[in-house]
Amino acid sequence: MDGLLQTAMPMPFLTVPEQVARVPSPALLIDRRRVERNIDRMRSYVGDFRRLRPHVKTHKCSEVYKMQLAAGITKAKAATLPEVDMVVRAGGRDVVLAYALVGPNLERAVTFARQHPETVFAALVDDPEAVGPIDAEAARQGVRFNLYVDVNPGMDRTGIPLGAPAAQLAQAIHAAAHLHLSGLHMYDGHIHGDFETSLAAMQAPYAALKTLVSDLRRAGCPVENVITAGSPAFLPAIQRFEVVDEVSPGTWIFWDAAYSEMMPELFDIALCVLGRVISRPAADIMTLDTGSKAVSVDTGKPNCRILGLPEAEILGWSEEHLRVRLPATHREVRLGDTFYVVPQHVCTTVALYDEALIVEDGAIVDCWPIDARSRPSLRTVFGRQP
Ligand SMILES: Cc1ncc(COP(=O)(O)O)c(C=O)c1O
């Protein structure tokens, strides 16, 4: 492991002082070499990239997706239609929108399928009530729409109960004239911990998933593909459960402080936020310009770690301020000093930025847009008079 978070030695992402001096803070930095290393590591974990469907919601960036494509990753998972668009613009041709279709998103998703016949595109459904409207919209637009049955492994966020309800839903899709059953989807984001801890928690839902697949196949209902697991569970999922065809982690591409604490060996921290000291309100406190609008706070405290200062204590934040208690060894901090802040949750932090600076071997080499960050444009729907 790179020891980035644990070391007391500063290990800045940037080492060219003239460049550091010019970066307006807060700014998002992505280390391209570390991303490449994470892709190499992922290859060594999954063996065959056909079994990986990386979630692009972590980076929302076509340039990062192009790196994944160039490495031989051909599949993608998305959470929004702008992410689906980004994947296709970047050259991807196989994307699952891991989201239920309600309201205007139903028509938009079916329109996307009609306009991109070259792309294997599917969405999720977890409710029998949704089947009729999706089938009707697909009929209206003259397409056969691909659906995965989303099952609930106990996370209780989305998903139909494993067992008879999921089997009936799968059969209803299989029987519908304008729908195609692509398979089953199970996201187990409530499972956290190292390999053995996750493995233990996965036994019951994965056994139920296996039974569901064999029951469906025995009843003549094809299950072509089974997708499960994010970053914590992908390794046990792919190595220990035969029922799994593809795993769909997202965070692995950049990694973050939360996962690094759980599984420090797995990937490198490839992203941080450059921040500066804007105040020293007390001898043991520094305030950085990386408030909740610069580094997400959805994890609660601590919402980040400071590179090179493993003992620093995150005291709290407001919109543009982060208050940090300095360890006794680091009280010499001055106004304007630069720090590299590693978010506890990288996905929600990336979504706060329009652009990221790309760093290679300590130097800024490029600037990439976080181009799938946007929502569908309301102006194109409503013009000037909503
Ligand atoms: C449906 C779904 N699949 C996959 C993932 C990827 O998980 P992770 O970011 O932990 O790798 C997520 C994350 O929220 C998700 O919601």
Side-chain angles (χ1 to χ4, degrees):
M1 109 134 148
D2 62 10
L4 204 55
L5 283 179
Q6 281 71 18
T7 182
M9 290 291 291
M11 287 184 63
F13 269 53
L14 275 180
T15 53
V16 183
E18 311 81 66
Q19 288 190 334
V20 175
R22 287 175 50 217
V23 176
S25 52
L28 197 65
L29 305 182
I30 295 172
D31 188 311
R32 185 150 63 185
R33 294 251 186 267
R34 286 173 182 271
V35 171
E36 280 166 4
R37 275 210 296 278
N38 285 346
I39 293 173
D40 287 345
R41 283 175 181 208
M42 184 52 100
R43 192 195 313 271
S44 74
Y45 297 141
V46 298
D48 180 345
F49 273 153
R50 279 175 300 186
R51 301 196 67 195
L52 180 71
R53 183 176 291 281
H55 205 318
V56 301
K57 53 105 200 191
T58 300
H59 56 73
K60 289 177 175 279
C61 174
S62 47
E63 293 300 326
V64 174
Y65 187 61
K66 282 180 196 165
M67 289 179 73
Q68 294 178 315
L69 277 175
I73 298 168
T74 56
K75 299 172 181 174
K77 192 191 234 192
T80 66
L81 281 165
E83 290 171 8
V84 170
D85 254 350
M86 177 206 84
V87 164
V88 171
R89 274 187 287 107
R93 293 292 175 265
D94 186 343
V95 54
V96 173
L97 174 62
Y99 214 74
L101 302 175
V102 299
N105 277 348
L106 168 53
E107 184 188 339
R108 295 174 82 92
V110 176
T111 303
F112 179 89
R114 177 170 51 75
Q115 291 174 342
H116 295 85
E118 77 294 346
T119 299
V120 182
F121 172 60
L124 303 189
V125 64
D126 72 352
D127 194 314
E129 268 190 35
V131 174
I134 303 175
D135 189 42
E137 183 60 26
R140 193 180 72 80
Q141 297 204 38
V143 296
R144 192 143 185 254
F145 193 78
N146 299 321
L147 284 174
Y148 280 84
V149 172
D150 184 30
V151 298
N152 180 2
M155 185 180 177
D156 293 343
R157 183 179 74 172
T158 63
I160 192 161
L162 280 153
Q168 281 157 17
L169 179 55
Q171 274 156 342
I173 295 166
H174 183 49
H178 300 93
L179 301 179
H180 171 248
L181 178 67
S182 296
L184 304 178
H185 171 271
M186 182 170 90
Y187 176 59
D188 44 8
H190 61 306
I191 291 173
H192 285 289
D194 59 18
F195 189 99
E196 292 304 328
T197 313
S198 296
L199 185 61
M202 290 160 77
Q203 295 300 334
Y206 279 72
L209 182 65
K210 188 176 170 195
T211 305
L212 174 62
V213 171
S214 18
D215 287 353
L216 280 169
R217 286 184 179 148
R218 210 171 316 114
C221 183
V223 181
E224 293 167 11
N225 200 25
V226 176
I227 308 173
T228 72
S231 291
F234 82 92
L235 210 45
I238 206 157
Q239 292 182 352
R240 297 295 173 86
F241 296 100
E242 260 179 39
V243 67
V244 176
D245 294 307
E246 296 175 2
V247 287
S248 55
T251 302
W252 66 277
I253 193 74
F254 295 146
W255 218 220
D256 60 20
Y259 280 149
S260 175
E261 276 155 30
M262 227 182 279
M263 297 167 285
E265 312 291 336
L266 226 47
F267 295 101
D268 281 355
I269 302 273
L271 176 145
C272 70
V273 173
L274 183 152
R276 289 195 177 88
V277 179
I278 56 151
S279 182
R280 293 293 318 276
D284 60 342
I285 296 177
M286 69 171 176
T287 300
L288 300 180
D289 53 4
T290 53
S292 60
K293 288 180 172 169
V295 178
S296 77
V297 296
D298 58 337
T299 58
K301 248 196 270 178
N303 71 320
C304 60
R305 302 277 299 273
I306 313 289
L307 275 196
L309 287 183
E311 281 115 41
E313 182 191 353
I314 306 301
L315 295 172
W317 51 78
S318 40
E319 292 173 42
E320 307 291 356
H321 303 79
L322 179 76
R323 297 187 313 113
V324 181
R325 173 160 290 128
L326 292 161
T329 47
H330 282 80
R331 298 273 160 87
E332 301 308 311
V333 166
R334 309 190 43 179
L335 284 193
D337 281 359
T338 301
F339 284 91
Y340 297 89
V341 177
V342 177
Q344 203 74 8
H345 188 184
V346 72
C347 313
T348 43
T349 298
V350 170
L352 298 171
Y353 289 85
D354 286 325
E355 297 175 311
L357 289 170
I358 307 308
V359 175
E360 215 170 277
D361 304 326
I364 295 169
V365 294
D366 212 338
C367 178
W368 290 349
I370 309 299
D371 42 351
R373 191 196 159 210
S374 59
R375 302 263 168 210
S377 164
L378 300 179
R379 209 170 296 179
T380 57
V381 179
F382 289 106
R384 295 175 66 85
Q385 290 179 323

